[in-house]
Amino acid sequence: MNICKKILSLAGWSVEVTVPDYPKMIYCVAPHTSNWDFLLCELAIHSVGRTAGFLMKSSWFFFPLGALFRALGGIPVERKNKKQSLTEIIVEKFRTENALRLAITPEGTRKGTRDWHTGFLRIAREADVPVCLAALDYPSKRITATEIFIPTGDMDADMAAVKRFYRSYTGKFPDQCLTD
């Protein structure tokens, strides 16, 4: 048993990953209500022998955390970049890399919000990569990655379908899980 699987097991968490390990993929991870979500997801993905990069606001990339986050595949997001949209930057990364698996939290924050970001859907559509719907469920202590979602291009319908999927999952702070 690898160390990540052992840590999760000791904490009472289980992991179920049934989606193929595509060379290029977006992991849509929700609900995201706590900083613990990051650690749990990192342990989960490594427990099944996979890796995924992630987006994180640049202010977290200070010494020594910055080096650690980059080593784990972290991509710092500068929110004040007006020259090029983050979506365009990530689409270009997908087009130029041989392999890229990226975890994105659609809420874009740990605070409760009904306005989920559509960037992951636009990236998947423009870069022609699948979206794995990965979920954390704190009451059952389960992390799953069992569904593939292919965006249609109808952002409203796609987002409604994604939110519908996540309604049965509960984050660490349930009052911040806003999927309606």
Side-chain angles (χ1 to χ4, degrees), residues 35 38 78 80 106 147:
N35 281 335
F38 172 77
E78 185 58 57
K80 295 179 179 121
E147 299 287 327

Side-chain angles (χ1 to χ4, degrees), residues 99-140:
L100 179 60
R101 295 165 198 92
L102 191 60
I104 297 176
T105 57
E107 300 103 323
T109 181
R110 292 174 312 281
K111 297 174 186 163
T113 180
R114 285 181 171 72
D115 298 322
W116 287 19
H117 297 249
T118 59
F120 75 100
L121 293 169
R122 292 195 328 265
I123 292 165
R125 181 97 171 137
E126 291 176 30
D128 193 28
V129 298
V131 175
C132 170
L133 300 178
L136 295 102
D137 190 56
Y138 276 79
S140 66

Side-chain angles (χ1 to χ4, degrees), residues 4-24:
C4 294
K5 189 179 285 189
K6 185 71 171 170
I7 292 168
L8 287 168
S9 177
L10 287 171
W13 284 83
S14 65
V15 177
E16 179 185 7
V17 177
T18 59
V19 298
D21 190 16
Y22 295 111
K24 296 183 181 185

Side-chain angles (χ1 to χ4, degrees), residues 19-161:
V19 298
D21 190 16
Y22 295 111
K24 296 183 181 185
M25 174 171 39
I26 293 173
Y27 286 95
C28 174
V29 181
H32 179 41
T33 64
S34 165
N35 281 335
W36 286 107
D37 301 342
F38 172 77
L39 178 61
L40 289 168
C41 287
E42 278 296 312
L43 289 168
I45 197 76
H46 290 287
S47 77
V48 296
R50 298 183 185 186
T51 61
F54 54 92
L55 304 175
M56 185 180 276
K57 61 183 171 182
S58 59
S59 61
W60 279 92
F61 284 78
F62 57 86
F63 183 81
L65 287 179
L68 173 64
F69 289 147
R70 282 186 179 84
L72 290 171
I75 300 170
V77 174
E78 185 58 57
R79 293 183 175 190
K80 295 179 179 121
N81 181 359
K82 301 293 183 200
K83 295 178 184 173
Q84 189 178 23
S85 79
L86 180 60
T87 299
E88 291 169 351
I89 292 167
I90 301 302
V91 166
E92 186 59 28
K93 273 184 138 350
F94 271 109
R95 289 183 178 150
T96 58
E97 299 287 327
N98 290 327
L100 179 60
R101 295 165 198 92
L102 191 60
I104 297 176
T105 57
E107 300 103 323
T109 181
R110 292 174 312 281
K111 297 174 186 163
T113 180
R114 285 181 171 72
D115 298 322
W116 287 19
H117 297 249
T118 59
F120 75 100
L121 293 169
R122 292 195 328 265
I123 292 165
R125 181 97 171 137
E126 291 176 30
D128 193 28
V129 298
V131 175
C132 170
L133 300 178
L136 295 102
D137 190 56
Y138 276 79
S140 66
K141 290 191 167 186
R142 290 185 64 231
I143 301 168
T144 61
T146 59
E147 299 287 327
I148 292 292
F149 182 80
I150 306 297
T152 65
D154 180 338
M155 289 298 154
D156 292 335
D158 288 346
M159 186 57 78

